Amino acid sequence: MFVVDSQVHIWKEETPDRPWVPGARERIRLNGHREDPFSYEECLALMDEAGVNRALILPPSWEGDRIDYALEACEAYPERFGIMARIPQNKPGEGKAMLKDFAQNPYVKGTRLTFHRPIDRNWMIDGTNDWYWPIAEELNIPTMVHAPIWKAELGAIAERHRGLKIIIDHMGIMARCVDDAIGYWVQETADLHRHPNIYVKVSAIPGYSTQPFPNLNIEKYVREMVDKMGPERCFWGTDITRLLGHGLSYVETIEQFTKHFDFTAEELEWIMGRGICECLDWPITDPSK
């Protein structure tokens, strides 16, 4: 089975020449991420141990909108990494220029927008981000979106821009919701299945349960998402630097789906890698070559 992780963050140490955005370290602690740097070499070693063929790098918000380190990873290992790039969402001129560059860059598979922090939470509804959707559709740039509270708005955007692929992060769950409290958020996201250009990352799943691994108490919510969206539109992922803090290994995050959750072999083929590769037009290669 070809395995693709739909979300990893990599980053370097904060230095005067590479400052983090204000308040970033406090948010990292709040969300359970490790604070120490996570290099692409360390990430790759964990991937090799677990049998992960590829990973999509989402440059972390605490480094701002820079993607230079992600590009370095892709240049070193072009068959193992791709990028869902950040853009300055509140700077249309700069953002449009970057999107045009990204459309020509083989390492950039799409972008990732965030609407969950105090600074960007209202950008989807106050007009700040309106410039983005039509040009992303025109340039055929798939877009991951972290916007738990704006499901109806995402549905309306998907309806207006039917040529734009929208991938919702983490089943659309609000941060720090756990156990049965995730049910509301999962249902909201699953109800967007009527929009064929909306996809979902069934990612970071262990972090949404307070029960011991393999977190069987929330399997039903993953099952609901897959049943409504279809396995072709549901993409496994780890957000591994958050899960390492929960004492989980990369291998366990895979086995949660392949050994403990009740999915068929055909469903797993799509969920674990084929679906995201087809969505991003990233052809699957023979891992033995």
Side-chain angles (χ1 to χ4, degrees), residues 250-262:
Y250 218 144
V251 172
E252 286 175 316
T253 65
I254 295 174
E255 291 182 345
Q256 182 178 59
F257 277 72
T258 61
K259 291 187 176 182
H260 300 288
F261 286 1
D262 187 19

Side-chain angles (χ1 to χ4, degrees), residues 99-161:
L99 286 179
K100 291 176 181 177
D101 287 341
F102 291 162
Q104 305 301 317
N105 190 320
Y107 301 137
V108 177
K109 307 304 179 183
T111 61
R112 193 224 189 180
L113 308 183
T114 55
F115 302 92
H116 67 292
R117 301 173 298 168
I119 189 175
D120 56 31
R121 187 167 294 138
N122 290 324
W123 286 357
M124 188 183 291
I125 63 168
D126 66 6
T128 300
N129 219 82
D130 288 355
W131 66 271
Y132 174 85
W133 314 109
I135 190 170
E137 180 181 27
E138 176 188 343
L139 296 172
N140 191 29
I141 295 179
T143 303
M144 288 183 178
V145 178
H146 190 25
I149 62 176
W150 304 126
K151 303 294 175 44
E153 290 76 9
L154 272 179
I157 289 167
E159 183 67 26
R160 290 196 300 271
H161 303 283

